Amino acid sequence: MDIQTAKQIRLEEYLHSLGYSPVKRQGINLWYKSPFREETEASFKVNTERNQWYDFALGKGGNIIALASHLYATDSVPYLLKRIEEQAPHVHPVSFSFRKQSFTEPSFQQLEIVPLSSPALLAYLQGRGINLELAKRECREARYTHNGKRYFAIAFPNGSGGFEVRNPYFKGCIAPKEISHIRQSGKVRNTCYIFEGFMDYLSFLTLRQESCPNYPELDGQDYIVLNSVSNVNKALYPLGNYERIHCFFDNDHAGMEALQQIRKEYGRNRYIRDASQIYSGCKDLNEYLQKQVERKRQVQSVKGVSSQSPKKKNGFRL
C-alpha cells in the first residue's frame, strides 16, 4: 500500500475497523470520543467531506497517516502504511475495496458467535504453530455476512463484549474495541503478562505447554491482551494491581514505545520486564514459535525422529 492508496480510505471506516464508533453526526461531521485517551465527552471530529480529523483536546488533526502516527506513536511512514493496510475495513478474502460505505451499513451482518470448529480456521492456527486445544478454549468462531457473502473468522473476546477477528486474509474487530483482561480464579495473582495481540498470547500458552507439558503453570499469572498497541493507555489502570509486569511486545518502535509508556507509569514501584529479549531477532512471539516448530520439524526429519520420541527442549524459558 502506498500513501495515495491509504488516503482513499474513509476515516470513519478506518476508525470503525479499530472499534471506534461515532457518538453523533452533525451534517458532514462525525463526533467520537477520542481514540487517544479515555474521555466522557466527544472531542474528536471527522469531516467526512474532506476526510480529515481534528482532536480538540490535542489541538491537532490531519489525514489518515497523521491519525495512525498518533495511534502507533511513530513517524515511520512504511510502518504506518503497513498498520493501516492490516486494519483497513473491507478486507475481503480476495482484495481490498475502497468504495464509500454507507454510514449505517454494519460491517458484520447476520453475525453468529459459535465454538471454534472450522477446519480451515484450525488449519490456519496450526500453520502458525498454535496448540489447537488451547485455541478452542480461548477463542470462538465468528460467522457473518458481508456484501451478500458468508465469511468466518477466529474471534477473540475483549472486556467490553467485542471481538478481535482473524482469518488467513482478514484482520479486524467487532466493536467495541477494548483490551482483554484474563483473570485467574481463586487467589489474586500479583503478576500479569501483557501482549499486543491474541496470536502472541496463544503463542505464549503453546510454548509454555510444549516446554512444561506436565506442569505448564498457565494459570500462575493473569494476562492482558491489548488487541492493538494503541490501547496501551487502557491497560495502565488495571496494571496498577500487579507487582510484576512482563511485557511481550513486538520488536519494533511501537512495541518499545508501549513498554516505555508502562515504565513511565510504574517503573519506580513495579518490577517491569521486557520479555521481548526472549525472541530477539523475530518480529514477535508468534514468529518465534513458528521458527521453533520449523526447527523441530527439520531436526526430526534429518534424524528420523518419530512422533513417539522424547521432545527436545526448545529453549523457551520464562
Side-chain angles (χ1 to χ4, degrees), residues 90-240:
H90 301 306
V91 185
H92 301 307
V94 178
S95 62
F96 282 98
S97 169
F98 296 116
R99 68 171 181 80
K100 186 172 181 180
Q101 181 188 22
S102 167
F103 175 70
T104 59
E105 180 187 354
S107 294
F108 298 90
Q109 300 170 328
Q110 299 177 341
L111 175 65
E112 297 178 89
I113 302 295
V114 300
L116 179 58
S117 62
S118 164
L121 294 179
L122 294 176
Y124 167 62
L125 287 167
Q126 192 169 39
R128 299 195 64 160
I130 303 298
N131 179 292
L132 297 185
E133 292 306 311
L134 290 171
K136 290 178 182 179
R137 187 188 75 185
E138 300 292 330
C139 302
R140 305 277 285 170
E141 182 175 320
R143 299 175 181 175
Y144 58 95
T145 299
H146 183 72
N147 286 348
K149 296 182 179 180
R150 290 294 288 172
Y151 297 99
F152 50 92
I154 303 156
F156 182 73
N158 65 36
S160 294
F163 292 87
E164 295 300 307
V165 291
R166 177 83 65 87
N167 65 31
Y169 311 98
F170 172 80
K171 180 180 180 181
C173 169
I174 298 173
K177 186 82 169 181
E178 186 56 86
I179 65 172
S180 302
H181 192 180
I182 298 98
R183 302 175 179 87
Q184 308 299 339
S185 59
K187 182 181 177 181
V188 175
R189 307 305 195 268
N190 65 2
T191 301
C192 184
Y193 290 6
I194 181 169
F195 304 86
E196 284 191 32
F198 76 86
M199 200 63 73
D200 290 325
Y201 168 58
L202 295 177
S203 297
F204 168 82
L205 298 181
T206 297
L207 285 161
R208 179 64 72 84
Q209 182 72 51
E210 288 291 318
S211 62
C212 308
N214 296 324
Y215 191 57
E217 293 187 283
L218 298 181
D219 59 353
Q221 57 280 319
D222 290 345
Y223 303 94
I224 288 179
V225 181
L226 296 178
N227 295 319
S228 171
V229 72
S230 62
N231 280 341
V232 65
N233 63 312
K234 297 181 180 180
L236 294 179
Y237 179 76
L239 283 175

Side-chain angles (χ1 to χ4, degrees), residues 283-299:
K283 175 184 178 295
D284 54 29
L285 191 53
N286 182 248
E287 182 178 306
Y288 175 85
L289 169 61
Q290 291 183 66
K291 287 185 176 181
Q292 293 297 315
V293 171
E294 180 59 29
R295 185 176 295 114
K296 182 182 295 185
R297 183 181 298 117
Q298 290 176 354
V299 169

Side-chain angles (χ1 to χ4, degrees), residues 7-20:
K7 287 181 178 180
Q8 294 179 46
I9 300 173
R10 306 301 303 172
L11 281 173
E12 62 266 34
E13 295 177 354
Y14 180 60
L15 286 165
H16 190 273
S17 77
L18 291 170
Y20 300 106

